[in-house]
Amino acid sequence: MRTLASLGALFCTAILTQSISAATHTDTLKQEAATLIPPFAQHLMDTVQQAKEDGGPVAAVAACQALAPDIAAEHSNTAWQVGRTSLKTRSDANTPDDWERAVLQQFAKRAAQGEDAKTISYAETVDGQFRLMKAIPVQEGCLGCHGTDIQPAIAAALNEKYPNDKARGYSAGELRGAFTLRHIGQSQ
């Protein structure tokens, strides 16, 4: 017959084992999510760059508007939903949900305190679902559409394609938004 002390020890051991297992699972999901971001980001950049080379900056605006949702869908899978969001969205389709908005506000504070936007990320399990966000800093090549000195033809194309555009006025290195990933199924 087990004593109360030995039952307590078994209970504590079970809880500790479960906590370690959950932490390992979270680390695995973080690593898995982190591997999805670079190819998604590169595909977006390559698409915009190719459209710019083929038809100029106005064509790049049209390509981004038409193709970015398909690129996000292509990089999503049965385990992960992949996307982008911002406090200053260009497309209404990228409006942050409440959790994303709170994380983006946290990112903005961290960036304002001097943290490099390239290193800012956050992960959490929300309502039983693992979520991760990774900051997107503005790069020099993004300023033609997201900067303070946008050419009139590009501004006109942006106004046409994105009537509610708030994604302008940035400088290089500033926080533009974030990649947002949600674990929706079994990991690969």
Side-chain angles (χ1 to χ4, degrees), residues 42-65:
Q42 191 64 54
H43 192 170
L44 289 166
M45 293 300 295
D46 289 349
T47 299
V48 171
Q49 187 60 38
Q50 187 63 53
K52 188 176 178 182
E53 289 173 14
D54 291 347
V58 172
V61 171
C64 189
Q65 191 261 346

PDB file of all heavy atoms in Angstrom, residues 42-65:
ATOM      1  N   GLN A  42      10.680  35.090 -49.006  1.00  0.00           N
ATOM      2  CA  GLN A  42      11.436  35.117 -50.257  1.00  0.00           C
ATOM      3  C   GLN A  42      10.512  35.024 -51.462  1.00  0.00           C
ATOM      4  O   GLN A  42      10.713  35.728 -52.461  1.00  0.00           O
ATOM      5  CB  GLN A  42      12.470  33.983 -50.287  1.00  0.00           C
ATOM      6  CG  GLN A  42      13.463  34.110 -51.418  1.00  0.00           C
ATOM      7  CD  GLN A  42      14.322  35.365 -51.285  1.00  0.00           C
ATOM      8  OE1 GLN A  42      14.945  35.591 -50.261  1.00  0.00           O
ATOM      9  NE2 GLN A  42      14.341  36.199 -52.315  1.00  0.00           N
ATOM     10  N   HIS A  43       9.501  34.196 -51.385  1.00  0.00           N
ATOM     11  CA  HIS A  43       8.554  34.047 -52.491  1.00  0.00           C
ATOM     12  C   HIS A  43       7.822  35.370 -52.740  1.00  0.00           C
ATOM     13  O   HIS A  43       7.671  35.792 -53.889  1.00  0.00           O
ATOM     14  CB  HIS A  43       7.572  32.926 -52.164  1.00  0.00           C
ATOM     15  CG  HIS A  43       6.732  32.476 -53.318  1.00  0.00           C
ATOM     16  ND1 HIS A  43       5.955  31.364 -53.250  1.00  0.00           N
ATOM     17  CD2 HIS A  43       6.524  32.977 -54.564  1.00  0.00           C
ATOM     18  CE1 HIS A  43       5.312  31.191 -54.396  1.00  0.00           C
ATOM     19  NE2 HIS A  43       5.637  32.168 -55.205  1.00  0.00           N
ATOM     20  N   LEU A  44       7.397  36.031 -51.668  1.00  0.00           N
ATOM     21  CA  LEU A  44       6.747  37.340 -51.814  1.00  0.00           C
ATOM     22  C   LEU A  44       7.686  38.343 -52.479  1.00  0.00           C
ATOM     23  O   LEU A  44       7.307  39.029 -53.433  1.00  0.00           O
ATOM     24  CB  LEU A  44       6.301  37.862 -50.446  1.00  0.00           C
ATOM     25  CG  LEU A  44       5.124  37.161 -49.795  1.00  0.00           C
ATOM     26  CD1 LEU A  44       5.025  37.565 -48.327  1.00  0.00           C
ATOM     27  CD2 LEU A  44       3.832  37.484 -50.526  1.00  0.00           C
ATOM     28  N   MET A  45       8.916  38.430 -51.972  1.00  0.00           N
ATOM     29  CA  MET A  45       9.885  39.393 -52.509  1.00  0.00           C
ATOM     30  C   MET A  45      10.234  39.084 -53.964  1.00  0.00           C
ATOM     31  O   MET A  45      10.313  39.990 -54.792  1.00  0.00           O
ATOM     32  CB  MET A  45      11.154  39.421 -51.654  1.00  0.00           C
ATOM     33  CG  MET A  45      10.949  39.982 -50.263  1.00  0.00           C
ATOM     34  SD  MET A  45      10.361  41.687 -50.258  1.00  0.00           S
ATOM     35  CE  MET A  45      11.751  42.519 -50.984  1.00  0.00           C
ATOM     36  N   ASP A  46      10.438  37.809 -54.267  1.00  0.00           N
ATOM     37  CA  ASP A  46      10.767  37.419 -55.637  1.00  0.00           C
ATOM     38  C   ASP A  46       9.632  37.769 -56.597  1.00  0.00           C
ATOM     39  O   ASP A  46       9.881  38.229 -57.721  1.00  0.00           O
ATOM     40  CB  ASP A  46      11.068  35.915 -55.724  1.00  0.00           C
ATOM     41  CG  ASP A  46      12.379  35.530 -55.074  1.00  0.00           C
ATOM     42  OD1 ASP A  46      13.183  36.420 -54.721  1.00  0.00           O
ATOM     43  OD2 ASP A  46      12.595  34.304 -54.896  1.00  0.00           O
ATOM     44  N   THR A  47       8.404  37.571 -56.166  1.00  0.00           N
ATOM     45  CA  THR A  47       7.243  37.869 -57.008  1.00  0.00           C
ATOM     46  C   THR A  47       7.157  39.356 -57.308  1.00  0.00           C
ATOM     47  O   THR A  47       6.962  39.765 -58.467  1.00  0.00           O
ATOM     48  CB  THR A  47       5.954  37.371 -56.323  1.00  0.00           C
ATOM     49  OG1 THR A  47       6.043  35.950 -56.156  1.00  0.00           O
ATOM     50  CG2 THR A  47       4.722  37.723 -57.135  1.00  0.00           C
ATOM     51  N   VAL A  48       7.318  40.171 -56.284  1.00  0.00           N
ATOM     52  CA  VAL A  48       7.265  41.623 -56.471  1.00  0.00           C
ATOM     53  C   VAL A  48       8.440  42.082 -57.335  1.00  0.00           C
ATOM     54  O   VAL A  48       8.271  42.894 -58.253  1.00  0.00           O
ATOM     55  CB  VAL A  48       7.246  42.352 -55.105  1.00  0.00           C
ATOM     56  CG1 VAL A  48       7.421  43.849 -55.276  1.00  0.00           C
ATOM     57  CG2 VAL A  48       5.939  42.049 -54.377  1.00  0.00           C
ATOM     58  N   GLN A  49       9.622  41.559 -57.074  1.00  0.00           N
ATOM     59  CA  GLN A  49      10.810  41.947 -57.845  1.00  0.00           C
ATOM     60  C   GLN A  49      10.666  41.557 -59.308  1.00  0.00           C
ATOM     61  O   GLN A  49      10.994  42.349 -60.198  1.00  0.00           O
ATOM     62  CB  GLN A  49      12.071  41.313 -57.241  1.00  0.00           C
ATOM     63  CG  GLN A  49      13.353  41.805 -57.869  1.00  0.00           C
ATOM     64  CD  GLN A  49      13.550  43.300 -57.715  1.00  0.00           C
ATOM     65  OE1 GLN A  49      13.238  43.886 -56.688  1.00  0.00           O
ATOM     66  NE2 GLN A  49      14.047  43.940 -58.756  1.00  0.00           N
ATOM     67  N   GLN A  50      10.161  40.360 -59.561  1.00  0.00           N
ATOM     68  CA  GLN A  50       9.996  39.918 -60.952  1.00  0.00           C
ATOM     69  C   GLN A  50       8.971  40.789 -61.683  1.00  0.00           C
ATOM     70  O   GLN A  50       9.186  41.188 -62.823  1.00  0.00           O
ATOM     71  CB  GLN A  50       9.560  38.443 -61.008  1.00  0.00           C
ATOM     72  CG  GLN A  50       9.545  37.888 -62.413  1.00  0.00           C
ATOM     73  CD  GLN A  50      10.925  37.894 -63.048  1.00  0.00           C
ATOM     74  OE1 GLN A  50      11.893  37.373 -62.490  1.00  0.00           O
ATOM     75  NE2 GLN A  50      11.045  38.477 -64.231  1.00  0.00           N
ATOM     76  N   ALA A  51       7.882  41.110 -61.016  1.00  0.00           N
ATOM     77  CA  ALA A  51       6.865  41.982 -61.624  1.00  0.00           C
ATOM     78  C   ALA A  51       7.439  43.364 -61.894  1.00  0.00           C
ATOM     79  O   ALA A  51       7.152  43.974 -62.937  1.00  0.00           O
ATOM     80  CB  ALA A  51       5.646  42.078 -60.715  1.00  0.00           C
ATOM     81  N   LYS A  52       8.286  43.839 -60.976  1.00  0.00           N
ATOM     82  CA  LYS A  52       8.925  45.149 -61.162  1.00  0.00           C
ATOM     83  C   LYS A  52       9.869  45.122 -62.363  1.00  0.00           C
ATOM     84  O   LYS A  52       9.885  46.060 -63.167  1.00  0.00           O
ATOM     85  CB  LYS A  52       9.680  45.523 -59.882  1.00  0.00           C
ATOM     86  CG  LYS A  52      10.228  46.924 -59.862  1.00  0.00           C
ATOM     87  CD  LYS A  52      10.863  47.216 -58.510  1.00  0.00           C
ATOM     88  CE  LYS A  52      11.477  48.586 -58.467  1.00  0.00           C
ATOM     89  NZ  LYS A  52      12.134  48.837 -57.173  1.00  0.00           N
ATOM     90  N   GLU A  53      10.637  44.040 -62.503  1.00  0.00           N
ATOM     91  CA  GLU A  53      11.545  43.915 -63.639  1.00  0.00           C
ATOM     92  C   GLU A  53      10.777  43.780 -64.952  1.00  0.00           C
ATOM     93  O   GLU A  53      11.174  44.337 -65.974  1.00  0.00           O
ATOM     94  CB  GLU A  53      12.464  42.704 -63.446  1.00  0.00           C
ATOM     95  CG  GLU A  53      13.510  42.902 -62.364  1.00  0.00           C
ATOM     96  CD  GLU A  53      14.296  41.629 -62.060  1.00  0.00           C
ATOM     97  OE1 GLU A  53      14.233  40.663 -62.858  1.00  0.00           O
ATOM     98  OE2 GLU A  53      14.970  41.603 -61.014  1.00  0.00           O
ATOM     99  N   ASP A  54       9.666  43.050 -64.923  1.00  0.00           N
ATOM    100  CA  ASP A  54       8.886  42.807 -66.139  1.00  0.00           C
ATOM    101  C   ASP A  54       8.073  44.017 -66.577  1.00  0.00           C
ATOM    102  O   ASP A  54       7.931  44.261 -67.777  1.00  0.00           O
ATOM    103  CB  ASP A  54       7.935  41.619 -65.948  1.00  0.00           C
ATOM    104  CG  ASP A  54       8.671  40.296 -65.828  1.00  0.00           C
ATOM    105  OD1 ASP A  54       9.878  40.232 -66.130  1.00  0.00           O
ATOM    106  OD2 ASP A  54       8.020  39.319 -65.399  1.00  0.00           O
ATOM    107  N   GLY A  55       7.512  44.774 -65.610  1.00  0.00           N
ATOM    108  CA  GLY A  55       6.592  45.834 -65.993  1.00  0.00           C
ATOM    109  C   GLY A  55       6.726  47.128 -65.230  1.00  0.00           C
ATOM    110  O   GLY A  55       5.896  48.023 -65.384  1.00  0.00           O
ATOM    111  N   GLY A  56       7.725  47.223 -64.373  1.00  0.00           N
ATOM    112  CA  GLY A  56       7.929  48.440 -63.598  1.00  0.00           C
ATOM    113  C   GLY A  56       7.211  48.411 -62.255  1.00  0.00           C
ATOM    114  O   GLY A  56       6.495  47.460 -61.937  1.00  0.00           O
ATOM    115  N   PRO A  57       7.400  49.466 -61.465  1.00  0.00           N
ATOM    116  CA  PRO A  57       6.856  49.492 -60.103  1.00  0.00           C
ATOM    117  C   PRO A  57       5.334  49.408 -60.037  1.00  0.00           C
ATOM    118  O   PRO A  57       4.792  48.803 -59.119  1.00  0.00           O
ATOM    119  CB  PRO A  57       7.345  50.817 -59.532  1.00  0.00           C
ATOM    120  CG  PRO A  57       8.337  51.354 -60.478  1.00  0.00           C
ATOM    121  CD  PRO A  57       8.207  50.622 -61.765  1.00  0.00           C
ATOM    122  N   VAL A  58       4.637  49.985 -61.008  1.00  0.00           N
ATOM    123  CA  VAL A  58       3.170  49.921 -60.992  1.00  0.00           C
ATOM    124  C   VAL A  58       2.716  48.474 -61.192  1.00  0.00           C
ATOM    125  O   VAL A  58       1.768  48.014 -60.557  1.00  0.00           O
ATOM    126  CB  VAL A  58       2.569  50.877 -62.042  1.00  0.00           C
ATOM    127  CG1 VAL A  58       1.071  50.676 -62.169  1.00  0.00           C
ATOM    128  CG2 VAL A  58       2.880  52.329 -61.668  1.00  0.00           C
ATOM    129  N   ALA A  59       3.403  47.741 -62.050  1.00  0.00           N
ATOM    130  CA  ALA A  59       3.095  46.320 -62.248  1.00  0.00           C
ATOM    131  C   ALA A  59       3.364  45.528 -60.969  1.00  0.00           C
ATOM    132  O   ALA A  59       2.648  44.564 -60.669  1.00  0.00           O
ATOM    133  CB  ALA A  59       3.915  45.756 -63.406  1.00  0.00           C
ATOM    134  N   ALA A  60       4.380  45.924 -60.216  1.00  0.00           N
ATOM    135  CA  ALA A  60       4.682  45.250 -58.952  1.00  0.00           C
ATOM    136  C   ALA A  60       3.537  45.424 -57.955  1.00  0.00           C
ATOM    137  O   ALA A  60       3.194  44.491 -57.223  1.00  0.00           O
ATOM    138  CB  ALA A  60       5.994  45.779 -58.372  1.00  0.00           C
ATOM    139  N   VAL A  61       2.924  46.603 -57.934  1.00  0.00           N
ATOM    140  CA  VAL A  61       1.770  46.843 -57.053  1.00  0.00           C
ATOM    141  C   VAL A  61       0.640  45.902 -57.434  1.00  0.00           C
ATOM    142  O   VAL A  61       0.035  45.251 -56.566  1.00  0.00           O
ATOM    143  CB  VAL A  61       1.310  48.320 -57.130  1.00  0.00           C
ATOM    144  CG1 VAL A  61      -0.014  48.513 -56.400  1.00  0.00           C
ATOM    145  CG2 VAL A  61       2.380  49.243 -56.556  1.00  0.00           C
ATOM    146  N   ALA A  62       0.349  45.809 -58.724  1.00  0.00           N
ATOM    147  CA  ALA A  62      -0.729  44.937 -59.191  1.00  0.00           C
ATOM    148  C   ALA A  62      -0.426  43.470 -58.881  1.00  0.00           C
ATOM    149  O   ALA A  62      -1.308  42.726 -58.441  1.00  0.00           O
ATOM    150  CB  ALA A  62      -0.946  45.130 -60.692  1.00  0.00           C
ATOM    151  N   ALA A  63       0.813  43.054 -59.080  1.00  0.00           N
ATOM    152  CA  ALA A  63       1.195  41.663 -58.800  1.00  0.00           C
ATOM    153  C   ALA A  63       1.073  41.346 -57.323  1.00  0.00           C
ATOM    154  O   ALA A  63       0.570  40.277 -56.949  1.00  0.00           O
ATOM    155  CB  ALA A  63       2.620  41.404 -59.290  1.00  0.00           C
ATOM    156  N   CYS A  64       1.521  42.263 -56.502  1.00  0.00           N
ATOM    157  CA  CYS A  64       1.437  42.047 -55.055  1.00  0.00           C
ATOM    158  C   CYS A  64      -0.021  41.893 -54.635  1.00  0.00           C
ATOM    159  O   CYS A  64      -0.375  40.967 -53.901  1.00  0.00           O
ATOM    160  CB  CYS A  64       2.108  43.196 -54.317  1.00  0.00           C
ATOM    161  SG  CYS A  64       2.280  42.880 -52.541  1.00  0.00           S
ATOM    162  N   GLN A  65      -0.866  42.779 -55.131  1.00  0.00           N
ATOM    163  CA  GLN A  65      -2.284  42.741 -54.763  1.00  0.00           C
ATOM    164  C   GLN A  65      -2.931  41.448 -55.245  1.00  0.00           C
ATOM    165  O   GLN A  65      -3.692  40.813 -54.528  1.00  0.00           O
ATOM    166  CB  GLN A  65      -2.995  43.967 -55.348  1.00  0.00           C
ATOM    167  CG  GLN A  65      -4.397  44.176 -54.832  1.00  0.00           C
ATOM    168  CD  GLN A  65      -5.472  43.671 -55.771  1.00  0.00           C
ATOM    169  OE1 GLN A  65      -5.232  43.384 -56.936  1.00  0.00           O
ATOM    170  NE2 GLN A  65      -6.662  43.554 -55.247  1.00  0.00           N
TER     171      GLN A  65
END
